[in-house]
Amino acid sequence: MFSGIAKLAHEGGQLEQKARVQYRELDSRHLLNRCSSERMPFEWTINPYRGCEFGCQYCYARYTHEFMEYREPLDFERKIFAKRFDLAAFSAELRTVRPDHWIAIGTATDPYQPAERRYRLTRKILGVFARRQSFNLAITTKSDLVARDVDLLVRIAKSNNVRVNMTVTTTDTALARLLEPMAPRPDLRLAALRRLSTQGIETSVFACPVMPAINDSRESLAAVAKAAAEAGARNFGAQVVFLKPCARAVFLPFLEKSFPQLARAYHDHFDREATIRGAYPERIKGILHELRAEHGLSARWPENAPKWQGSFDFSTSEDADKSALVDISAPKYRHAAGSSC
């Protein structure tokens, strides 16, 4: 017998069936959820959907489907749950948010994935904030669909703090297609960011995740930083890849097929632990600092953010641990011979 979120997920009716994706409705108890991690620069999260159709090979959030007793790794990208939107209930939830709190939209699933074109949940949520004031919002996506809501974002920005973070893992279209098979091309994401920036919306670019020997060369990161600056982004950062078991179950077989020359090194490390610590993240952090200086970009939250958030640096996800060096080398990324793009 199922209980909790699993019970709600299995009781939800099917909304639509596509060739590879099933859309279902989820009667979620809350749209607004408290973030309990002190490492995060926000207090609240909103994820309008559960699961994400983009199918990014490295996605850390696959484990969230396990809470609903969907344990096949590919269920995360093939069973998409659209949360039921209740305007009155959501408005009541917002009354618990303090003026100095930040709300992050899109922390576990992309709020502008293909389901958003059908169900428009993200737009409904933004419509509420467009009628409010004194909220702090950070939206993270890797979809150009965010530019559809430029009208609402401009209205929100007049009375609230709002920023849009675009994930651009690489500017190499062929590599992006391998890593993020169903996500919009990098150039489309950057064009959407440029449109938002020209309308006065604060924007950031995340080159996430940084993967050893795949997209971690200075040339690769420099290309993303340059494109971010040209698109009008104010901030630039990245986090080193981490692979929980559910993500490892997808990423490592992908690596064996598309980057077989890297598979052994990744297995040797990630079969033992989920994160990379030590000299490697420090090296990436140094590159990021150099690139921000070159392109006039920042790694900080806005000046009008709460004091503790103003000092948050999203350059890397882990503190250095010099006693736990990784063996993964970091040459300029290269495609595996014979891989199809």
Side-chain angles (χ1 to χ4, degrees), residues 57-58 175 178-179 211 214 248-260:
Q57 308 289 359
Y58 49 75
L175 179 58
L178 280 174
L179 295 169
M211 293 163 279
I214 295 177
R248 193 164 63 241
V250 174
F251 187 78
L252 293 183
F254 155 76
L255 210 64
E256 291 165 0
K257 177 181 179 182
S258 298
F259 297 90

Side-chain angles (χ1 to χ4, degrees), residues 33-325:
N33 294 286
R34 188 73 191 236
C35 177
S36 58
S37 174
E38 295 181 355
R39 292 178 54 248
M40 295 295 103
F42 45 79
E43 288 82 5
W44 301 91
T45 66
I46 297 176
N47 289 289
Y49 304 93
R50 273 185 172 266
C52 183
E53 195 172 343
F54 285 156
C56 300
Q57 308 289 359
Y58 49 75
C59 183
Y60 68 89
R62 294 179 185 275
Y63 76 93
T64 59
H65 257 40
E66 295 177 1
F67 298 146
M68 302 185 296
E69 298 299 332
Y70 287 105
R71 298 186 177 277
E72 289 296 323
L74 295 183
D75 281 346
F76 183 76
E77 61 199 63
R78 294 181 179 175
K79 290 182 172 62
I80 309 300
F81 290 83
K83 295 181 180 179
R84 187 174 297 171
F85 179 76
D86 184 318
L87 176 58
F90 181 58
S91 298
E93 289 183 61
L94 291 179
R95 289 197 285 270
T96 64
V97 179
R98 287 177 9 196
D100 62 330
H101 285 180
W102 277 81
I103 301 172
I105 301 177
T107 59
T109 63
D110 200 300
Y112 286 101
Q113 61 178 290
E116 173 62 14
R117 297 186 185 277
R118 289 169 164 77
Y119 308 115
R120 301 168 69 88
L121 291 174
T122 302
R123 185 167 178 86
K124 291 176 182 176
I125 289 167
L126 293 182
V128 176
F129 287 111
R131 300 188 295 272
R132 303 297 182 94
Q133 62 183 13
S134 301
F135 283 95
N136 304 303
L137 302 177
I139 302 168
T140 301
T141 181
K142 53 169 61 83
S143 174
D144 59 324
L145 183 59
V146 64
R148 177 203 65 184
D149 292 339
V150 64
D151 59 326
L152 288 178
L153 292 169
V154 169
R155 286 167 54 192
I156 292 170
K158 290 179 179 179
S159 302
N160 305 270
N161 294 325
V162 61
R163 70 188 299 178
V164 174
N165 307 314
M166 185 68 73
T167 300
V168 182
T169 310
T170 174
T171 59
D172 183 329
T173 301
L175 179 58
R177 183 59 63 206
L178 280 174
L179 295 169
E180 306 153 350
M182 300 301 292
R185 300 193 315 263
D187 60 306
L188 296 178
R189 304 178 210 176
L190 291 162
L193 206 69
R194 186 177 299 108
R195 183 181 176 193
L196 297 179
S197 298
T198 58
Q199 293 297 313
I201 304 300
E202 181 179 356
T203 58
S204 306
V205 168
F206 294 161
C208 295
V210 175
M211 293 163 279
I214 295 177
N215 70 331
D216 68 340
S217 69
R218 194 184 194 285
E219 293 83 356
S220 178
L221 292 169
V224 180
K226 181 176 183 290
E230 292 175 347
R234 297 186 195 176
N235 312 288
F236 174 64
Q239 293 181 334
V240 173
V241 67
F242 65 98
L243 298 174
K244 292 184 176 183
C246 53
R248 193 164 63 241
V250 174
F251 187 78
L252 293 183
F254 155 76
L255 210 64
E256 291 165 0
K257 177 181 179 182
S258 298
F259 297 90
Q261 74 278 15
L262 301 179
R264 173 59 64 85
Y266 270 81
H267 270 290
D268 287 347
H269 180 82
F270 288 106
D271 284 348
R272 292 182 288 109
E273 54 185 303
T275 61
I276 302 177
R277 296 178 180 270
Y280 183 80
E282 285 297 293
R283 184 180 74 81
I284 298 301
K285 189 173 183 177
I287 293 174
L288 295 173
H289 280 302
E290 292 173 2
L291 293 176
R292 281 191 290 267
E294 289 178 19
H295 297 284
L297 297 165
S298 172
R300 305 295 180 180
W301 281 73
E303 292 181 0
N304 56 358
K307 183 177 180 180
W308 73 271
Q309 291 170 331
S311 64
F312 178 78
D313 187 327
F314 55 76
S315 301
T316 55
S317 59
E318 299 291 341
D319 295 330
D321 179 358
K322 302 300 184 183
S323 66
L325 302 179

